[in-house]
Amino acid sequence: MRKKLIAANWKMNPPPAGWDGKNSPYRPDKKIDVAVFPTHIDLQQCIAAGLVAGSQFGRPEVSGAFTGDVSLKMAKYLGCTYALCGHSDRRQFHAETDAFVAEQADAALALGLIPVICIGETAKERAAGKTKIVLERQMKALPMDPRIIIAYEPVWAISRGDPAVKPATTSDAEETHAFVRSLLPPHLRGKVRILYGGSMNGQNAKELLLQPNIDGGLVGGASLKPEEFRAIVEAAIEIPHP
Ligand code: PGA
């Protein structure tokens, strides 16, 4: 069974209003997995308030001369459950390579953190017909372990706060998810969860989540609006797990 996971990627934003309330949509649910990825500054208070959380980034080294960084070990120590690895913001603005993303995923697994590993092609790569080549390259570097979670996030569909950005069409998303699943070794194809990320919102979530190869969402912009995020969580709750 692949339990749906709806994860809020708050990026460099404070937790949204009401995040720690009794009725907060960011709280764990009985039927599906719900998680938040706050800034490193906010992680501790989110975990203390009972949310299931993950780090947006963590270095594989335990400690050392890496000014401004935190290690995955520190994230684990704080009580994180998940570790986001290789988000396109990190690949783009921090020059993270496939090899470095794989190192993070390895280190996360060794620490008992669940790596949520982001893959996805840019608009330029897509226009050049290179989507599959890019995904193959990104997947090839990764540890093939049943605990990993993949987040397919086409970079051109990530909203970056712009409501004009459109998500992948449902059929395109499902087709690409099926392709990503085919890149997993046969014994992991039924086990590894593949999330969709890129302009998922309260309106389009149900249709995306109904697809057989889409096991949840990594939600950016819409996760900063509690009622929008609640609608996504509720859509996921209604859909049976494959
Ligand atoms: P978005 O971001 O939902 O705002 O498109 C997704 C992400 O970057 O993880």
Side-chain angles (χ1 to χ4, degrees):
M1 189 185 79
R2 302 193 305 272
K3 202 175 188 183
K4 295 261 185 303
L5 165 61
I6 302 296
N9 177 10
W10 288 338
K11 310 190 182 186
M12 201 176 71
N13 295 288
W19 66 274
D20 58 347
K22 228 173 104 190
N23 195 27
S24 156
Y26 306 104
R27 290 206 173 276
D29 182 82
K30 284 194 201 84
K31 295 206 183 104
I32 63 161
D33 289 330
V34 176
V36 295
F37 288 90
T39 65
H40 287 127
I41 301 283
D42 294 313
L43 264 175
Q44 198 160 20
Q45 59 165 344
C46 289
I47 292 165
L51 306 194
V52 174
S55 60
Q56 292 180 15
F57 165 75
R59 286 200 75 87
E61 298 85 353
V62 169
S63 58
F66 298 103
T67 305
D69 283 355
V70 300
S71 72
L72 285 162
K73 178 108 193 255
M74 292 163 181
K76 175 69 183 175
Y77 176 76
L78 271 189
C80 281
T81 302
Y82 299 94
L84 204 59
C85 303
H87 187 279
S88 59
D89 289 345
R90 305 287 317 175
R91 292 181 190 258
Q92 191 181 344
F93 305 128
H94 297 267
E96 288 192 17
T97 61
D98 294 333
F100 183 65
V101 175
E103 265 184 68
Q104 291 172 58
D106 276 327
L109 288 168
L111 287 161
L113 289 164
I114 302 169
V116 179
I117 308 158
C118 300
I119 61 169
E121 78 287 0
T122 62
K124 208 170 147 198
E125 288 162 341
R126 183 175 188 239
K130 292 192 176 147
T131 299
K132 287 188 173 174
I133 297 169
V134 170
L135 296 176
E136 260 165 359
R137 194 200 69 219
Q138 291 174 332
M139 286 290 286
K140 212 168 152 191
L142 301 178
M144 286 299 137
D145 185 289
R147 293 167 293 171
I148 65 168
I149 296 175
I150 304 290
Y152 169 59
E153 299 207 307
V155 182
W156 47 269
I158 294 181
S159 72
R160 310 197 63 81
D162 179 355
V165 174
K166 296 271 172 288
T169 62
T170 308
S171 57
D172 275 359
E174 168 58 15
E175 198 185 316
T176 312
H177 276 239
F179 174 71
V180 172
R181 195 172 297 289
S182 77
L183 299 175
L184 293 164
H187 69 288
L188 295 185
R189 282 183 200 151
K191 291 199 178 95
V192 168
R193 290 182 281 182
I194 306 176
L195 315 182
Y196 171 79
S199 301
M200 186 182 268
N201 59 37
Q203 278 75 54
N204 59 32
K206 186 170 179 187
E207 205 184 305
L208 284 161
L209 295 168
L210 273 169
Q211 303 309 306
N213 285 294
I214 301 184
D215 302 314
L218 181 57
V219 189
S223 79
L224 293 168
K225 300 177 190 150
E227 291 320 309
E228 190 88 5
F229 189 72
R230 192 189 305 282
I232 299 173
V233 169
E234 283 173 359
I237 289 171
E238 280 173 29
I239 301 166
H241 311 303

